[in-house]
């Protein structure tokens, strides 16, 4: 089991092996700093210089193309701060270990807020850039809703009509539409209208809906002439970035 305080100490004294400075290791340091310094501003001041110094110690340059990333650092610190504020626990390590099992720890989570073009631009690496897809205030809202086991940016907004979608199929139980921010050249999302958290949460009764989704996927593959090859996939656990079960029908190369 990872000890966030021990890892942070190794990070600060530059004895942490480069291969152990992982995505989740960044979170360990963020949780410790938020606990120690209490505010995003004070934590940012500490972590900014610490990351830059650590990068240099392991031979990684901090420049416009690599190393420290200001926008991502502030974004993730904000996520950790809001999560800690909601949990209001004294055990930092337990809160950290719980957090890294949530969809918020997914490396793709920032792409709910930012286009890839903006997030990975030179400007965003060098200075804080406001999100261009969803406001930063949505972080707190999404964490609060997740604790009610209802969190879902994409599926909830598609079902509610808040996000304009190009619908390919709709019945009383199933909705299929083109992804508004596709990951593949052709990218269709198929979801149940009933809230089902994930694959493990599918009841025997809910299997009827999942069967309908398979029928829809088959029919769309035929109707859209995707016979040359498609991916049909769903994610679970740390790979699932929104807790409403959904299926991707995809073809072509990845575009983000």
């Amino acid at each position: 089991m990872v000890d966030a305080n021990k890892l942070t100490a190794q990070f600060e004294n530059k004895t942490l092996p480069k291969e152990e400075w992982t995505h989740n290791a960044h979170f360990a340091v963020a949780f410790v700093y938020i606990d120690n310094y209490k505010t995003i501003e004070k934590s940012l001041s500490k972590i900014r210089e610490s990351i830059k110094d650590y990068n240099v110690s392991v031979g990684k340059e901090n420049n416009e193309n690599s190393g420290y990333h200001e926008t991502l650092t502030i974004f993730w610190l904000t996520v950790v701060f809001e999560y800690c504020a909601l949990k209001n626990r004294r055990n930092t390590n337990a809160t950290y270990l719980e957090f890294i099992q949530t969809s918020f720890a997914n490396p793709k989570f920032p792409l709910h807020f930012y286009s890839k073009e903006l997030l990975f631009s030179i400007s965003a690496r060098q200075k804080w850039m406001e999100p261009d897809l969803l406001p930063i205030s949505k972080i707190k809202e999404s964490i609060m809703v997740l604790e009610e086991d209802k969190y879902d940016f994409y599926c909830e907004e598609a079902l509610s009509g808040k996000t304009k979608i190009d619908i390919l199929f709709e019945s009383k139980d199933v909705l299929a539409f083109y992804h508004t921010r596709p990951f593949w050249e052709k990218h269709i999302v198929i979801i149940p209208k009933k809230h089902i958290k994930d694959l493990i949460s599918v009841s025997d009764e809910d299997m009827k809906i999942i069967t309908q989704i398979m029928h829809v996927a088959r029919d769309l593959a035929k109707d859209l002439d995707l016979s040359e090859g498609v991916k049909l996939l769903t994610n679970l656990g740390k790979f699932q970035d929104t807790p409403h079960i959904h299926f991707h029908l995809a073809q072509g190369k990845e575009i983000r």
Side-chain angles (χ1 to χ4, degrees), residues 20-83:
E20 293 183 22
W21 184 229
T22 62
H23 182 63
N24 284 345
H26 283 69
F27 286 133
V29 174
F31 271 87
V32 171
Y33 282 6
I34 288 293
D35 183 54
N36 289 344
Y37 300 105
K38 309 305 179 188
T39 68
I40 294 173
E41 291 76 16
K42 290 180 180 179
S43 301
L44 175 63
S45 178
K46 176 68 174 177
I47 204 169
R48 178 191 288 125
E49 295 310 313
S50 296
I51 290 176
K52 289 181 178 179
D53 289 346
Y54 178 83
N55 285 344
V56 171
S57 74
V58 295
K60 187 172 186 177
E61 294 186 17
N62 298 296
N63 56 42
E64 62 182 26
N65 296 309
S66 69
Y68 179 77
H69 194 297
E70 178 79 352
T71 296
L72 276 174
T73 301
I74 295 175
F75 177 86
W76 286 120
L77 273 177
T78 303
V79 172
V80 170
F81 177 84
E82 296 294 354
Y83 191 85

Side-chain angles (χ1 to χ4, degrees), residues 69-247:
H69 194 297
E70 178 79 352
T71 296
L72 276 174
T73 301
I74 295 175
F75 177 86
W76 286 120
L77 273 177
T78 303
V79 172
V80 170
F81 177 84
E82 296 294 354
Y83 191 85
C84 289
L86 180 65
K87 291 297 183 178
N88 194 26
R89 293 177 182 167
R90 293 184 178 180
N91 191 327
T92 300
N93 202 64
T95 308
Y96 156 69
L97 292 173
E98 178 186 82
F99 172 84
I100 60 176
Q101 299 302 314
T102 71
S103 58
F104 296 118
N106 190 308
K108 292 185 177 180
F109 182 61
L111 294 176
H112 287 296
F113 295 80
Y114 289 91
S115 64
K116 190 174 182 180
E117 292 74 22
L118 176 58
L119 187 60
F120 299 115
S121 67
I122 293 175
S123 296
R125 182 178 292 278
Q126 294 178 334
K127 63 182 180 180
W128 166 249
M129 300 294 291
E130 290 287 343
D132 57 339
L133 298 180
L134 286 173
I136 199 73
S137 60
K138 272 280 190 178
I139 290 177
K140 181 177 181 179
E141 178 184 331
S142 64
I143 292 173
M144 293 176 67
V145 177
L146 175 59
E147 293 306 305
E148 297 172 3
D149 198 29
K150 297 177 183 175
Y151 164 74
D152 170 33
F153 277 121
Y154 198 74
C155 296
E156 188 276 330
E157 294 203 354
L159 288 168
S160 68
K162 293 178 182 177
T163 296
K164 185 177 180 180
I165 55 175
D166 186 359
I167 296 174
L168 293 167
F169 174 87
E170 184 171 12
S171 68
K172 68 181 182 66
D173 295 316
V174 177
L175 181 67
F177 53 95
Y178 283 113
H179 201 301
T180 58
R181 301 192 297 276
F183 287 85
W184 292 273
E185 290 175 307
K186 288 185 179 179
H187 188 176
I188 297 162
V189 182
I190 311 172
I191 63 175
K193 290 185 175 180
K194 176 182 177 180
H195 177 63
I196 304 171
K197 182 180 179 182
D198 54 29
L199 190 61
I200 291 176
S201 304
V202 177
S203 66
D204 289 343
E205 184 65 24
D206 292 336
M207 280 303 298
K208 296 177 182 178
I209 300 176
I210 302 303
T211 299
Q212 290 181 49
I213 288 175
M214 294 300 102
H215 288 166
V216 171
R218 178 199 63 191
D219 293 343
L220 287 174
K222 289 181 179 179
D223 295 344
L224 299 175
D225 193 24
L226 305 179
S227 58
E228 67 181 63
V230 294
K231 296 177 181 178
L232 178 62
L233 60 97
T234 189
N235 295 312
L236 180 67
K238 66 180 182 180
F239 298 107
Q240 182 177 354
D241 63 1
T242 180
H244 181 108
I245 191 170
H246 56 287
F247 293 80

Side-chain angles (χ1 to χ4, degrees), residues 7-30:
L7 187 151
T8 300
Q10 291 179 300
F11 163 73
E12 290 184 332
N13 62 32
K14 303 178 184 64
T15 59
L16 182 71
K18 183 178 180 180
E19 63 272 16
E20 293 183 22
W21 184 229
T22 62
H23 182 63
N24 284 345
H26 283 69
F27 286 133
V29 174

